[in-house]
Amino acid sequence: MEATLFSFHSSKLPSTPLTQTQPKSLLTRPATNPFLSLAPRPARHHHRLPTIRSAISRTKKEQTVETIKENLENCHLMAGIRYKGLTVKQFQDLRKVLPETTKLIVAKNTLVYKAIEGTPWEALKPCMTGMNAWMFVHSEEIPPAIKPYRDFQKEKKLDSNDFTGAVFEGKFYGPGDFKQLETMPTRAEIYAKLLGTLNSPASSLVGTIQAPARELVMLLKAYVQKLEEEGGGGGQ
């Protein structure tokens, strides 16, 4: 069998003559590229539907906002804590040392602001930077709620994980103002002071009346509550 080599240039027919062993159809068949002969497919426009993951994410965000709103009920103080750098174990240990009336929640600033917007707690807006854990104190005893974190912070040497701010009775307290919150008198101290005042000369009573309005209100509330408790106990 005779073999002949061919060289093709573009779409032209081979320049060397065909042998008798080659099929005659090659003389009339045009040289075409089979890939160029395919008709172009029309472009398809895909409409992206919401994924299950995005739906779950949206639901989780809504649940977080609702959880924050629930914790704002009967809340006396809300504070932000910079928790960047805290390990999971440290965070779990911190939750264990807090009083039962104090809740600690980690949530994005945007979600927290969405929950407090339009409320007195909106004064926390200056804290909406960085990574925060949020403390909700459901008790009028503010110093005992703050002290466990201060002790934890000192023990673990977490100087950089300080309070970023707090709101108490509608007023914003910056990091440098926390001394006022930490030195507030407890209910027991207020009650003891009230009893001492009632048993002291009139001059001491005048001094108590001249005390700051908030402290005087707390004194009176403690005294009224004590009377109500005594009245309730006597009727049993």
Side-chain angles (χ1 to χ4, degrees), residues 42-234:
R44 295 181 179 180
H45 300 281
H46 298 279
H47 298 283
R48 185 171 296 178
L49 298 176
T51 62
I52 295 178
R53 180 177 298 179
S54 63
I56 293 175
S57 177
R58 184 172 61 253
T59 301
K60 187 175 181 180
K61 290 178 181 179
E62 293 172 352
Q63 290 175 347
T64 300
V65 172
E66 287 303 316
T67 299
I68 295 170
K69 288 182 178 181
E70 290 173 2
N71 276 277
L72 289 176
E73 296 179 4
N74 301 318
C75 182
H76 294 272
L77 178 140
M78 180 179 175
I81 299 174
R82 192 173 304 284
Y83 86 98
K84 184 178 181 180
L86 284 178
T87 65
V88 174
K89 185 178 185 307
Q90 287 176 329
F91 195 78
Q92 292 173 343
D93 292 341
L94 173 58
R95 277 179 164 168
K96 292 178 182 178
V97 300
L98 294 176
E100 293 183 0
T101 54
T102 301
K103 302 298 180 184
L104 198 62
I105 297 176
V106 174
K108 291 184 176 180
N109 297 330
T110 53
L111 299 180
V112 173
Y113 187 73
K114 186 175 181 179
I116 67 176
E117 190 175 11
T119 72
W121 304 105
E122 190 176 0
L124 273 172
K125 189 175 182 179
C127 301
M128 301 296 163
T129 58
M131 301 170 65
N132 289 289
W134 302 95
M135 178 185 289
F136 299 83
V137 179
H138 301 101
S139 169
E140 294 181 357
E141 303 290 354
I142 304 304
I146 297 177
K147 189 176 185 302
Y149 181 72
R150 284 301 192 203
D151 294 340
F152 181 86
Q153 185 184 23
K154 184 177 180 180
E155 178 187 350
K156 304 297 182 181
K157 298 179 180 179
L158 302 172
D159 296 337
S160 60
N161 298 101
D162 202 0
F163 287 99
T164 57
V167 169
F168 175 66
E169 294 184 345
K171 178 183 176 182
F172 177 76
Y173 291 79
D177 303 324
F178 264 69
K179 195 67 176 178
Q180 301 176 40
L181 297 171
E182 296 175 67
T183 57
M184 285 177 56
T186 63
R187 183 182 295 274
E189 292 170 343
I190 293 174
Y191 180 62
K193 184 176 181 180
L194 179 61
L195 288 181
T197 301
L198 294 177
N199 294 326
S200 63
S203 58
S204 298
L205 181 59
V206 172
T208 301
I209 294 175
Q210 291 176 346
R214 182 183 59 78
E215 184 176 347
L216 182 59
V217 169
M218 293 182 69
L219 283 167
L220 294 175
K221 285 176 64 177
Y223 181 63
V224 170
Q225 182 172 351
K226 184 64 178 177
L227 292 178
E228 291 176 348
E229 291 175 353
E230 291 177 352

